[in-house]
């Protein structure tokens, strides 16, 4: 298998990666055949997976604009993946050139490509760290350089919590991050669920099986379980809803049915 020039040394390109599969769904070019093969297997069960990922991105962009409208210009994007057009720093800095963004991911390809994309942008940074280790994130040089935790921050957890099993205590990790944020901070969560996916639950289970096969378990949580990630935060309107229903730009009847899969919500710290 030929190694692309952009692939960091030491990366096993025979093993699929969640962030590179996500990149493939979004039409990106920083993925390997092993990632594309896993994505195609999952799409055999749920053909609309690319649309679900696009809906995720859409919620992220709308939430960033909402944060800016609330006067928040600091963003901590954990599980950020591989940058594609319309990422957090582009949306934020177009509206507020001084906005500061720290991207965090544990995939070395995502980190390396993010560093290349962000080179020369003094108000952005990328940290190689894992959501399961909040203190590594909070203590990273990039967070220290770019974010003032005494002022409100928008914490973005887009399509990442469903890759952390309950045994790794994702709720504890989110609580630890939230505790470090100033009052007025926001948290965005998007999360996979069986709810809203316009195919039978058994088919969605096939996608769960694909991710289990590549050692990246996909945890489908209920709305009530997802709501617990907002402990310590007050949900803003319209609450915890399907992704397509979170402050949409277009009427629901014009949207693809897959856009209403899973849940999205934004909370504010009192």
């Amino acid at each position: 298998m030929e190694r692309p020039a952009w692939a960091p040394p030491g990366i096993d390109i025979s093993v699929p990666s969640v962030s590179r599969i996500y990149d493939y769904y979004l039409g990106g070019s920083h993925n390997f055949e092993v990632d594309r093969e896993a994505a195609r297997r999952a799409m055999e069960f749920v053909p609309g997976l690319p649309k679900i990922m696009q809906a995720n991105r859409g919620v992220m962009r709308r939430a960033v604009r909402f944060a800016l409208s609330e006067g928040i210009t600091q963003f901590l994007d954990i599980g950020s993946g591989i940058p594609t057009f319309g990422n957090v720093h582009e949306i934020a800095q177009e509206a507020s050139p001084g906005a500061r963004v720290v991207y965090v991911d544990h995939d070395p390809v995502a980190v390396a490509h993010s560093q290349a994309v962000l080179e020369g942008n003094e108000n952005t940074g990328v940290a190689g760290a894992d959501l399961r280790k909040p203190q590594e994130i909070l203590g990273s040089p990039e967070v220290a350089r770019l974010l003032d935790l005494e002022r409100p921050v928008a914490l973005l957890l887009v399509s990442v919590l469903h890759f952390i099993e309950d045994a790794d205590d994702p709720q504890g990790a989110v609580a630890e991050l939230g505790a470090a944020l100033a009052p007025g901070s926001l948290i965005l969560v998007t999360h996979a669920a069986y709810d809203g996916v316009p195919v039978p639950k058994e088919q969605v289970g096939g996608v769960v099986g694909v991710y289990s096969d590549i050692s990246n378990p996909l945890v489908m949580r209920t709305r009530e379980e997802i709501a617990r990630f907002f402990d310590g935060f007050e949900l803003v309107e319209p609450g915890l809803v399907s992704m397509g229903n979170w402050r949409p730009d277009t009427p629901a009847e014009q949207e693809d049915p897959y856009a209403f899969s899973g849940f999205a919500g934004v909370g504010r710290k009192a």
Side-chain angles (χ1 to χ4, degrees):
M1 186 185 304
E2 185 177 350
R3 174 179 291 273
W6 50 262
I11 297 301
D12 185 350
I13 64 176
S14 68
V15 177
S17 153
V18 165
S19 63
R20 298 193 303 266
I21 293 171
Y22 190 66
D23 178 67
Y24 173 74
Y25 288 141
L26 292 173
S29 59
H30 286 77
N31 48 76
F32 306 130
E33 179 55 33
V34 67
D35 305 308
R36 296 188 286 272
E37 194 275 332
R40 288 191 290 263
R41 282 173 51 210
M43 288 169 63
E44 289 176 6
F45 296 101
V46 179
L49 280 170
K51 182 60 191 180
I52 294 174
M53 306 311 162
Q54 291 164 23
N56 253 296
R57 300 285 293 185
V59 171
M60 178 272 287
R61 294 180 186 120
R62 298 195 299 274
V64 167
R65 295 188 186 105
F66 170 72
L68 291 165
S69 75
E70 295 285 296
I72 295 176
T73 57
Q74 303 188 103
F75 298 86
L76 179 58
D77 184 1
I78 301 178
S80 52
I82 296 167
T84 57
F85 176 75
N87 215 327
V88 175
H89 72 283
E90 293 172 322
I91 301 298
Q93 292 171 359
E94 180 181 14
S96 178
R100 294 171 173 255
V101 179
V102 175
Y103 293 111
V104 179
D105 206 286
H106 73 285
D107 184 336
V109 170
V111 172
H113 191 53
S114 297
Q115 289 170 335
V117 168
L118 301 174
E119 187 175 2
N121 188 327
E122 292 301 316
N123 285 334
T124 62
V126 56
D130 195 311
L131 174 56
R132 289 166 287 201
K133 299 177 181 178
Q135 289 307 314
E136 285 189 8
I137 296 171
L138 295 168
S140 69
E142 292 78 9
V143 167
R145 178 174 71 89
L146 289 166
L147 303 183
D148 177 2
L149 298 183
E150 298 299 315
R151 295 173 46 240
V153 172
L155 172 62
L156 309 180
L157 299 170
V158 179
S159 196
V160 62
L161 287 166
H162 48 236
F163 289 114
I164 301 184
E165 297 179 278
D166 290 340
D168 289 321
D169 192 19
Q171 190 172 351
V174 174
E176 197 168 339
L177 290 165
L181 303 182
S185 293
L186 298 176
I187 181 174
L188 164 66
V189 171
T190 70
H191 199 295
Y194 290 109
D195 304 66
V197 186
V199 298
K201 183 177 179 178
E202 292 72 25
Q203 281 184 236
V204 184
V207 175
V208 174
V210 169
Y211 279 93
S212 293
D213 289 345
I214 63 172
S215 300
N216 283 289
L218 177 59
V219 184
M220 307 294 274
R221 295 188 172 95
T222 66
R223 185 182 184 280
E224 291 71 26
E225 289 170 331
I226 297 166
R228 293 182 195 133
F229 291 119
F230 292 94
D231 287 354
F233 292 80
E234 182 179 351
L235 282 163
V236 303
E237 290 294 332
L240 184 58
V241 296
S242 72
M243 290 191 294
N245 283 322
W246 198 88
R247 302 187 178 224
D249 295 324
T250 56
E253 60 270 17
Q254 296 180 16
E255 189 55 271
D256 188 296
Y258 280 100
F260 300 94
S261 306
F263 290 100
V266 169
R268 180 186 289 110
K269 185 174 179 178

